[in-house]
Amino acid sequence: KQPPSPTSFPGDAGLIFLWKMAASSPDRALAGGGTEPAAEAEPDSDPWAGLGPIVKRDPVVKLQSPVSGLEPLSWSEDHRLSASSTNSISLMEIVCDIHGYGQDLVIHRTSIPVPDSPCVLKVGPEELVSELKERFANSKDPSVSQPFMLDRVLNPSAGSLPPLRGFKYTSWSPLGCDANGRCLLASLTLDNRLTIHGNLNRLQWTPLVDLTEQYAEMLEEKDYQLLGAEPPRGELQDPPEFQRRHRMQCPVRMEWSSVCTTQQVQTNNECKDVGTVLLAVLLENGDLAVWQFQLPFHGKDSVVSCNTIQSGVSAPSVLAWWEYEHGGRKMSGLIVGSSVGPVKILPVNLKAVKGYFTLRQPVVLWQETDQIPVHNIKCISLYHPYQKCNCSLVVAARGSYLFWCLLLISKAGLNVHNSHVTGLHSTNISSMTASRYGGSIFTCSADGNVKKLTPIFTDVAVMFKQELIRLPDGVAGRRTHGIAVSPNGAYLALVTTEGLTNGQHPVSRSYQVQFVTLKTPDDAAAELLESTIQNLFKQTDLLDLVRWKVLRDKRIPPMLQEELDEKVHTSGSTYLWRFKLFLFRVLYQSLQKAPAEARWRPSHEDTKVFIGDEEGEEDSQEAGGGASTSEGGGGRALDAGSYRSRGSVSSTGNEVSDSYGSSRSSYGISRSSTQEALGSSSSSSLRNSRFTPSWESSSLGRGGSPTRVPTNSKTAQGLVGLRNLGNTCFMNSILQCLSNTQQLRDYCIQNSHRRDLHNNTRVHTALMEEFAKLIQTLWSSSGSEAVSPSEFKTQIQKYAPRFVGYNQQDAQEFLRFLLDGLHNEVNRVTVRPRASTEDLDHLPDDEKGKRMWNKYLEREDSRVVDLFVGQLKSSLTCSDCGYCSTVFDPFWDLSLPIAKKGYGEVSLMDCMRLFTKEDVLDGDEKPTCYRCKARRKCTKKFTIQKFPKILVLHLKRFSEARIRTSKLSTFVNFPLKDLDLREFASENSIHAVYNLYAVSNHSGTTMGGHYTAYCRNPASGEWYTFNDSRVTPMSSSQVRSSDAYVLFYELSTSSRM
């Protein structure tokens, strides 16, 4: 090692050595650390070779619902991208991961769901408004009733059209606005609810204030009359006045100002500087509501004031802040555009804001003579090289044209130069975005063409250099709905759908967000070296490009290395030292023997996440088998049953509907329901549940082999652990349970699945193939090394995108999706018959159940169905006439509520009795009786019509309280043998006695826990603990515990038909 440089930090001698070693020999690996020689990257493997800076980056982020709003994408200063859709806002944070091995973008995903209830604007007393709505709806004058019934603002929930659902627009605040110093998100729904959200912890967004409600309260105090605004049009009973009060509350757009400093008078009459930020809201009647918030923003208490400005613009459509700095003086204003043409800047008087001035009067940028609507405006601050001063460039998208206006302040006043750019697109501009630095403007049309415009100053005004962005394969040719550029111009995000196929539009479109680079890594490195920002976090997009190149080439670019070395030794800048340390860390990761499953794990000091359980107990305690150790800790245990009760995920493809006209989701899950859940918005409620997952540590890189049972090769079959790929203990637990399902195991080992794969014409068979390959590996391996399920994980996340990444997941939910995916690929039915509407109510229940089961098999018939699917009977009985209606539905598992008793221990039979207990439907739950033709009090009861060969019982340990979700640690006493369920059969049955063979356990709490599995080896009959890569023997007396979560029972041999 060489001695540290005089300017280096203490302890950096090793870093200097690494730096010099990487410079002299990029092929060498670090000594120790489990590395292998890394080959130098091939020159022709450079993805930019021959392409310029435009390269596609993975992954592609699929959206669960169609996008909504005119500008669905918005990128924040803290590198978070929001995508507005009809069911949620999908939020993607770009993270520059210095601990990861993968070259793909690292994206942390969260979401904000659409509010369940529609937004009802407050225009007067509730009783009077309800009376007026009924009067307008029933008016005999069609000029009153028809517009009212078709207006989803005046009548959001009871009109002729369904309520509007989705988000119209999102706007990010500048950095430093929330309690963590990051950005706030203002969201506007299609039904006019304007809310500010804050990301107070890492994985959860919280609504901080409803500005629509706040503004309504302010208007009510002023009796809906504002100074200088449109006067009342009569009384509230008059339809024009009723409509006026609604229009003055309907937001069109909202935009944030930059952070400014306000002087606040203290109790001692001294002035204190307080940070504030403004949010301007453009309303449908042309008014502007300017909210002022004190920072950091915490909610309603942080609202300082709200002032209303009359713009005088009819049919307002867009809004943008104009902020100009000249000679140390800052000026501000609001640019308002209209759908009928004119665009003007309005003065904004910022009282008590230091250093800010405003215009004396509004300035019209474009006249209204052309009548071309404006649907997007961007204002960019630039430096004019000829005038030697700052200037503002305002660009507006109007049809297929781009109008521009250059604003300069001179001694003579405000100078306005405007014109427009033609020949950009053959169709209308669908989206426009601008880089915060450099002034580049990007436009796109619906046909997928993206243009880049770079302003070039002349001594007179400005001209634009046009460039067609040649999108790479996989992005080109798709329909583009919106674009957004990252803060420093490194990435362009596009939300796209499939284009025409054989000249025809696809039946259903899948929306996805794709990323392409706009700069090369060398350009990004040069900008980082010369940056005046001096903050790596604010330049995450540029930093990620450099990280990508270092990981690919397994060396630091020589030119970057030399320049950074020189700058560090001459300036000693802390920013440059941090940049240097960042490159060291990435270089070190690139030289490791990097399994694809090694993932980043936050440290225990990270305050933004909850840390899972610590490393497991000592090996001697593990061998005892009493307590499960936490090797990969942190599985998230979500209660799928609780989702069903909230209606977020249907448990079967069709709800249990009956002749009473009521519906209730049955237990279990069918094939169609899982496919619906994959593409439905209900998944957003799963991702945005109130669980705060912990992070589990990987079982890799611990040194030494996993603790395993020292047995011979004959008895060691099936006793192989699974590596934890990072938060995948939930998957490993279920896979071990299925591996010990004897009939499913034999189906895979004997390659019987291939016969079913070859007998159908399905293209997608990779999931079944990888699952069978994994099972075969577990039962043929006799070594001591654990098996990596990475290839299987790749396939399951292709089938169910909710398992993409390394987030916490629920084991029971994973089991459902896995079984559904396996069934789809080996389904013996290649052409499903059309659903029939045959009336079976006249048949006896037994015959009706058989007919319904046969109909199900006509569509869904596979070895997986043979094993796991049973049939549930739901009976509704009218208390008045005694009429009974029955419905039969398939189920894949039963979610059992946990009975509660005083002494804290219950039996599995208690839970089964509670599940099948007769419920009374009364009050609001009364269904409509088919015979009585009226809503009647009824009783409802579940029984089991057909018992499956493999019965999966899910114990609902997680329940939602008023404040947070809690876990029930009640000890459920379940039998290991001879579980007799004949009392729950629809008719006397002898085929209902089961033996336990596997248990999926969840230890810990809702904040963090870990999954393990207890399985009985089908060959030896002995019980073993499967804790990720560790497999240890255990006594059958230790199988029962309060951690039992999913129970696997097989039908007793004596009970089988």
Side-chain angles (χ1 to χ4, degrees), residues 288-349:
L288 284 161
V290 182
W291 295 84
Q292 186 175 14
F293 304 127
Q294 182 175 325
L295 302 180
F297 185 83
H298 296 290
K300 188 184 300 184
D301 296 336
S302 299
V303 177
V304 177
S305 64
C306 178
N307 298 309
T308 304
I309 304 172
Q310 282 73 46
S311 68
V313 175
S314 59
S317 58
V318 291
L319 177 69
W321 275 96
W322 173 63
E323 293 178 319
Y324 183 90
E325 185 173 356
H326 175 69
R329 305 179 67 184
K330 300 177 181 178
M331 300 192 69
S332 65
L334 284 168
I335 307 173
V336 180
S338 169
S339 59
V340 294
V343 178
K344 64 170 65 175
I345 302 180
L346 300 174
V348 178
N349 185 17

Side-chain angles (χ1 to χ4, degrees), residues 213-233:
E213 180 182 338
Q214 294 291 304
Y215 194 68
E217 293 176 359
M218 188 193 77
L219 291 176
E220 185 180 22
E221 292 176 358
K222 299 182 179 182
D223 198 21
Y224 300 93
Q225 299 182 42
L226 299 176
L227 183 64
E230 180 184 8
R233 298 182 180 180

Side-chain angles (χ1 to χ4, degrees), residues 491-565:
Y491 291 114
L492 182 72
L494 307 93
V495 58
T496 63
T497 53
E498 301 92 334
L500 295 177
T501 304
N502 298 326
Q504 297 180 343
H505 291 283
V507 177
S508 61
R509 299 183 183 274
S510 60
Y511 291 77
Q512 59 188 33
V513 178
Q514 298 177 293
F515 299 89
V516 298
T517 62
L518 296 175
K519 298 179 179 179
T520 65
D522 293 337
D523 295 335
E527 290 190 30
L528 288 167
L529 285 175
E530 303 297 332
S531 174
T532 59
I533 299 177
Q534 301 290 295
N535 186 308
L536 290 179
F537 171 74
K538 292 182 179 180
Q539 302 174 91
T540 295
D541 51 346
L542 297 174
L543 206 60
D544 188 73
L545 276 179
V546 179
R547 166 186 168 272
W548 184 21
K549 184 172 181 62
V550 174
L551 287 175
R552 290 189 73 259
D553 298 346
K554 293 182 170 53
R555 67 174 182 179
I556 298 170
M559 293 298 295
L560 171 61
Q561 179 177 320
E562 293 175 8
E563 290 189 38
L564 184 55
D565 254 341

Side-chain angles (χ1 to χ4, degrees), residues 338-342 367-374 398:
S338 169
S339 59
V340 294
Q367 299 295 335
E368 56 188 4
T369 53
D370 50 30
Q371 295 290 309
I372 302 178
V374 182
R398 312 175 78 182

Side-chain angles (χ1 to χ4, degrees), residues 7 9 534-536 564 567-568 571-582:
T7 58
F9 294 150
Q534 301 290 295
N535 186 308
L536 290 179
L564 184 55
K567 287 180 177 292
V568 163
S571 68
S573 167
T574 305
Y575 163 75
L576 295 176
W577 271 107
R578 288 173 178 160
F579 186 21
K580 184 175 179 179
L581 181 60
F582 168 82

Side-chain angles (χ1 to χ4, degrees), residues 845-846 849 871-873 888 943-947 986-987:
D845 286 351
D846 185 43
Q871 190 179 38
L872 200 66
K873 175 182 177 182
F888 299 87
T943 53
I944 300 176
Q945 181 73 14
K946 182 181 184 302
F947 287 89
S986 302
E987 58 184 16

Side-chain angles (χ1 to χ4, degrees), residues 35 69 78 134 376 580 629 631 643 762 844 925 962 980 1004:
T35 62
D78 57 357
E134 185 175 356
N376 201 338
K580 184 175 179 179
T629 59
E631 176 186 344
Y643 298 134
R762 293 178 178 81
E925 295 183 340
R962 290 183 298 174
D980 192 346

Side-chain angles (χ1 to χ4, degrees), residues 89-374:
I89 301 175
S90 181
L91 296 142
M92 294 151 273
E93 179 178 1
I94 306 298
V95 179
C96 198
D97 187 0
I98 60 174
H99 298 283
Y101 301 91
Q103 298 178 21
D104 291 349
L105 279 169
V106 179
I107 299 175
H108 288 180
R109 292 193 63 182
T110 50
S111 65
I112 300 173
V114 171
D116 295 330
S117 59
C119 178
V120 180
L121 300 177
K122 188 175 183 180
V123 296
E126 291 186 10
E127 294 182 0
L128 177 59
V129 171
S130 299
E131 180 184 340
L132 292 177
K133 287 184 177 181
E134 185 175 356
R135 182 192 304 176
F136 295 151
N138 298 325
S139 174
K140 296 182 180 180
D141 185 356
S143 64
V144 175
S145 60
Q146 291 183 9
F148 177 79
M149 294 300 293
L150 294 175
D151 195 320
R152 285 183 282 189
V153 175
L154 303 180
N155 196 18
S157 57
S160 301
L161 299 175
L164 289 168
R165 280 185 60 85
F167 286 92
K168 183 177 183 180
Y169 191 67
T170 57
S171 178
W172 290 96
S173 77
L175 268 173
C177 290
D178 71 355
N180 297 323
R182 302 195 67 180
C183 299
L184 298 167
L185 178 64
S187 67
L188 175 62
T189 60
L190 291 172
D191 60 359
N192 302 303
R193 179 182 275 112
L194 176 57
T195 311
I196 296 179
H197 302 268
N199 189 200
L200 302 183
N201 60 51
R202 194 178 190 90
L203 299 173
Q204 183 178 10
W205 287 85
T206 305
L208 300 177
V209 64
D210 186 339
L211 292 184
T212 301
E213 180 182 338
Q214 294 291 304
Y215 194 68
E217 293 176 359
M218 188 193 77
L219 291 176
E220 185 180 22
E221 292 176 358
K222 299 182 179 182
D223 198 21
Y224 300 93
Q225 299 182 42
L226 299 176
L227 183 64
E230 180 184 8
R233 298 182 180 180
E235 299 296 328
L236 182 59
Q237 292 83 350
D238 299 325
E241 173 63 12
F242 192 79
Q243 186 178 25
R244 182 190 76 89
R245 294 192 181 186
H246 279 86
R247 290 183 67 242
M248 67 191 305
Q249 299 180 57
C250 292
V252 177
R253 287 284 180 96
M254 66 284 181
E255 294 293 343
W256 296 86
S257 72
S258 60
V259 175
C260 48
T261 303
T262 303
Q263 289 191 333
Q264 188 179 73
V265 179
Q266 305 298 301
T267 55
N268 58 359
N269 291 331
E270 293 184 357
C271 292
K272 177 185 177 182
D273 290 345
V274 177
T276 59
V277 68
L278 304 178
L279 179 66
V281 182
L282 179 62
L283 302 169
E284 190 176 318
N285 66 345
D287 289 348
L288 284 161
V290 182
W291 295 84
Q292 186 175 14
F293 304 127
Q294 182 175 325
L295 302 180
F297 185 83
H298 296 290
K300 188 184 300 184
D301 296 336
S302 299
V303 177
V304 177
S305 64
C306 178
N307 298 309
T308 304
I309 304 172
Q310 282 73 46
S311 68
V313 175
S314 59
S317 58
V318 291
L319 177 69
W321 275 96
W322 173 63
E323 293 178 319
Y324 183 90
E325 185 173 356
H326 175 69
R329 305 179 67 184
K330 300 177 181 178
M331 300 192 69
S332 65
L334 284 168
I335 307 173
V336 180
S338 169
S339 59
V340 294
V343 178
K344 64 170 65 175
I345 302 180
L346 300 174
V348 178
N349 185 17
L350 303 179
K351 296 180 180 180
V353 178
K354 296 177 63 175
Y356 271 83
F357 300 87
T358 189
L359 300 171
R360 295 179 180 177
Q361 59 186 6
V363 176
V364 177
L365 302 183
W366 293 282
Q367 299 295 335
E368 56 188 4
T369 53
D370 50 30
Q371 295 290 309
I372 302 178
V374 182

